Amino acid sequence: MAERTQDRDTQQDSRHQPQLPPHAEDHGHSLAAWVGVGIVMLGALVGCLAVVFTVWWLLAVGFVVMLVGPVVGIMLAKMGYGAGTPEQSSDEPGDEPHDGPAGRSGEAASTTANGPR
């Protein structure tokens, strides 16, 4: 009787598990993405310091630096350093997802009625 209850609980849990999309290859894993975001963050830091110290011309510099970040990221992507290029790929065909079979929480991988979790 206890086994039936446990099986029913397991089936009920698997129905309520969120179905995650397949691993998105190279999402943000490129030099272009890192450099672009880094420049935007640097501009935000400059802007924040400008507000704290009330240096208004430095706030304008921070905004300009924040606008340069995406432009540099796009230029680097067009030069071949973006996520769509095999040289910059962090995943090889057939590799396990970054989360690995156990997932981020360290749980053991299991198979549900809808496929692998």
Side-chain angles (χ1 to χ4, degrees):
M1 179 80 171
E3 290 178 21
R4 288 184 190 173
T5 306
Q6 186 177 10
D7 289 340
R8 194 174 339 140
D9 291 340
T10 304
Q11 289 174 354
Q12 199 171 29
D13 287 343
S14 66
R15 284 181 282 179
H16 295 291
Q17 291 290 331
Q19 295 300 318
L20 301 175
H23 176 65
E25 300 273 335
D26 298 324
H27 179 75
H29 294 221
S30 70
L31 181 66
W34 281 97
V35 170
V37 169
I39 292 172
V40 169
M41 289 175 60
L42 180 66
L45 176 65
V46 169
C48 289
L49 292 174
V51 169
V52 169
F53 295 112
T54 61
V55 182
W56 301 115
W57 62 268
L58 193 59
L59 179 63
V61 170
F63 280 128
V64 169
V65 171
M66 284 193 294
L67 292 174
V68 168
V71 173
V72 170
I74 291 169
M75 286 175 34
L76 284 172
K78 289 187 181 207
M79 290 172 51
Y81 294 103
T85 58
E87 305 87 48
Q88 294 296 318
S89 175
S90 62
D91 295 326
E92 295 295 326
D95 276 355
E96 290 288 326
H98 293 291
D99 295 343
R104 290 183 192 263
S105 63
E107 298 172 2
S110 65
T111 305
T112 62
N114 296 331
R117 183 171 63 155

